[in-house]
Amino acid sequence: MNETAFDEPLFASLRPGLTSFCYRMLGSMDDADDAVQETSIRVWQSWSTFRQDSSFKTWVYRIASNLCLDKLRQSKRRALPVDLFDPAVSIVEPRETLPDSAWIWPSSDFGGNPEDLLLRRDTLQLCFIALLQTLPPRQRAVLILKDVFEWSSKQIAETLAMSPAAVNSALQRARETMDRAQLRSDELSSMDVQPEQQLLSRYVEAFEQFDIAALVALFHEEGCMSMPPFEMWIRGKEDLSAFYSLTRWHCEGSRFVPITVNGGYPALAQYMPDKEGPGLIPWGIHVIETKENQILHVQNFIHTPLFSRFGLPERIDR
């Protein structure tokens, strides 16, 4: 083999799965894309050394896994606000933030096989991504390859340079950790059940009209809202009403564009009025989780680079 024989279409066929693997490992599509791009470069550079003692797929995933493990050694655990902080005691405009690298961000479509996506949709729930981040990196890789991708212990061992016995041991420890983990985001999650379209429509109408009473009425008694990268999050109808009243100046006049996130889950992209010109500009991605046909948790991901990732325009008309 030589470098000129590098099979680009073969690598391209693996790209959707690789991206979804790296996203689950790293909790960020930006980091996942970087890891896949670096993997493609390393595969091309190392093509002449590929001896076919393992499958091409295993070899590529070995490179991608090592890249992810290297990244995770140099970074802190990504999380969601509800798992790091208690709900706000006093309702003020949010100020304190953590860097983008601290947070789990929603994913766009990977472009893979729709049937595979349907089977694995539950492992793209934001709460599942948050649970994965509680695992040591190597255990995380083992659990994803085994429980999500359904690889054999032998194939995982070849990929991660472990013995099959070590793989099985790591898998057992990972599953035990996942079972013990008590994350608030998991308690608040309902991404396994999509919200009723009527409820989403009522949310859009109340928010776009900024009818605070109508908006808060859609929430469950235990309903809450979080806004990464802000540390602050709000729980309870009274505090939600106070917060919406406080931030009316910022959000009034907003419009929503429907999108899907994390395996086809419905979400809303919020555009807010541009204070310096005509039209509306990106603000946040609202992921709405429900309980008993009421809103349990709105995760408003305030990270404007997400808009281009989801193929959304930079500006819309009022």
Side-chain angles (χ1 to χ4, degrees):
M1 286 189 186
N2 54 56
E3 291 182 3
T4 59
F6 172 55
D7 193 334
E8 176 61 34
L10 184 57
F11 182 85
S13 71
L14 296 180
R15 187 179 288 272
L18 275 176
T19 306
S20 68
F21 169 76
C22 293
Y23 172 68
R24 289 177 175 93
M25 284 290 292
L26 302 172
S28 159
M29 281 297 292
D30 286 343
D31 283 1
D33 278 349
D34 289 346
V36 173
Q37 182 61 25
E38 181 63 25
T39 298
S40 71
I41 293 170
R42 293 194 184 184
V43 167
W44 180 81
Q45 291 174 336
S46 306
W47 183 249
S48 61
T49 69
F50 176 45
R51 304 302 181 192
Q52 296 187 343
D53 52 347
S54 62
S55 72
F56 177 72
K57 182 176 181 178
T58 299
W59 181 60
V60 170
Y61 270 82
R62 182 184 305 154
I63 293 170
S65 298
N66 286 333
L67 279 165
C68 287
L69 293 173
D70 287 343
K71 283 179 176 286
L72 290 168
R73 288 188 192 100
Q74 302 166 22
S75 62
K76 295 182 179 179
R77 168 193 156 202
R78 288 180 179 266
L80 296 166
V82 296
D83 293 326
L84 295 181
F85 306 98
D86 289 329
V89 175
S90 58
I91 302 305
V92 296
E93 286 188 33
R95 300 290 184 193
E96 300 299 323
T97 63
L98 292 178
D100 293 344
S101 59
W103 304 111
I104 291 166
W105 300 106
S107 75
S108 51
D109 181 23
F110 302 118
N113 185 324
E115 292 181 3
D116 288 346
L117 188 61
L118 188 63
L119 288 172
R120 298 167 180 165
R121 182 178 289 166
D122 61 330
T123 68
L124 281 173
Q125 293 178 32
L126 289 163
C127 68
F128 185 79
I129 302 299
L131 281 169
L132 285 174
Q133 309 309 303
T134 66
L135 297 175
R138 192 168 293 273
Q139 288 183 28
R140 193 182 310 174
V142 168
L143 185 132
I144 294 168
L145 292 174
K146 185 67 172 181
D147 287 358
V148 178
F149 287 80
E150 299 179 348
W151 285 20
S152 68
S153 295
K154 180 177 182 293
Q155 190 176 8
I156 297 170
E158 292 175 358
T159 301
L160 299 178
M162 302 167 67
S163 69
V167 167
N168 291 334
S169 176
L171 180 64
Q172 181 180 350
R173 294 196 304 274
R175 287 172 175 168
E176 288 173 351
T177 299
M178 293 276 278
D179 288 341
R180 284 197 311 269
Q182 294 185 349
L183 297 184
R184 192 182 272 124
S185 59
D186 192 31
E187 296 171 8
L188 292 172
S189 178
S190 61
M191 285 183 73
D192 56 330
V193 179
Q194 295 199 358
E196 295 281 347
Q197 184 57 50
Q198 186 181 26
L199 179 62
L200 285 178
S201 297
R202 290 165 64 199
Y203 180 82
V204 169
E205 181 180 5
F207 199 104
E208 290 187 347
Q209 294 181 2
F210 221 74
D211 183 336
I212 294 174
L215 189 57
V216 172
L218 300 176
F219 280 82
H220 192 277
E221 287 298 329
E222 301 170 0
C224 57
M225 177 178 60
S226 57
M227 305 156 288
F230 293 103
E231 299 174 2
M232 177 185 180
W233 63 279
I234 299 104
R235 185 171 219 164
K237 289 188 174 185
E238 185 176 339
D239 284 353
L240 285 165
S241 180
F243 182 80
Y244 284 128
S245 297
L246 190 66
T247 56
R248 174 186 287 276
W249 67 273
H250 185 273
C251 290
E252 195 167 26
S254 292
R255 294 290 180 268
F256 283 120
V257 174
I259 59 171
T260 59
V261 302
N262 290 62
Y265 191 84
L268 300 163
Q270 178 193 350
Y271 285 78
M272 58 169 281
D274 185 353
K275 309 302 183 189
E276 299 178 358
L280 303 164
I281 55 176
W283 177 243
I285 305 292
H286 293 224
V287 179
I288 299 170
E289 301 186 77
T290 62
K291 179 180 180 181
E292 299 165 357
N293 202 27
Q294 294 177 300
I295 295 172
L296 182 61
H297 187 194
V298 175
Q299 299 187 73
N300 182 6
F301 293 92
I302 302 171
H303 187 51
T304 53
L306 288 171
F307 281 68
S308 59
R309 174 166 296 287
F310 283 94
L312 292 162
E314 295 180 4
R315 177 182 294 271
I316 63 174
D317 295 332
R318 289 181 186 265

